[in-house]
């Protein structure tokens, strides 16, 4: 429910086509084994259709959020 509430609120602020929910983003080659996370919500500079041929990268992202209502300890330690 937290992800849906956040997504709905962000759509009201940024527009429906710029808010992505649980979709891959590209964070670079710092760790070649894990460089395409799927955050709960992200907001991009361009509409969703601009990323049909590639994932949005750092230069495209305005906000990236991970909702952690029940997994905070795991997210802050092992997942980090």
């Amino acid at each position: 429910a937290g992800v849906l509430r956040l997504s709905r609120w962000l759509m009201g602020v940024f527009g429906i086509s710029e808010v992505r929910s649980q979709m891959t983003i590209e964070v670079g080659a710092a760790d070649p084994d894990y460089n395409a996370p799927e955050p709960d919500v992200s907001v991009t500079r361009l509409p969703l259709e601009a990323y049909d041929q590639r994932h949005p990268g750092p230069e495209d992202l305005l906000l990236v959020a991970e909702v952690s209502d029940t997994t905070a300890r795991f997210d802050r330690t092992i997942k980090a």
Side-chain angles (χ1 to χ4, degrees):
V3 171
L4 292 174
R5 286 187 188 109
L6 177 59
S7 294
R8 189 179 319 154
W9 183 79
L10 289 170
M11 286 176 189
V13 174
F14 292 100
I16 193 167
S17 64
E18 284 78 12
V19 177
R20 304 161 52 93
S21 184
Q22 300 177 336
M23 296 177 76
T24 302
I25 62 171
E26 182 70 41
V27 295
D31 182 352
D33 294 325
Y34 187 74
N35 66 355
E38 296 176 350
D40 287 327
V41 181
S42 61
V43 179
T44 56
R45 291 186 185 280
L46 301 173
L48 183 64
E49 297 78 24
Y51 306 105
D52 284 347
Q53 302 299 315
R54 66 180 180 90
H55 299 301
E59 66 282 352
D60 302 303
L61 297 164
L62 300 176
L63 179 134
V64 176
E66 186 73 20
V67 176
S68 184
D69 51 357
T70 60
T71 61
R73 180 175 291 165
F74 174 78
D75 290 343
R76 290 181 181 157
T77 57
I78 305 218
K79 190 173 182 179

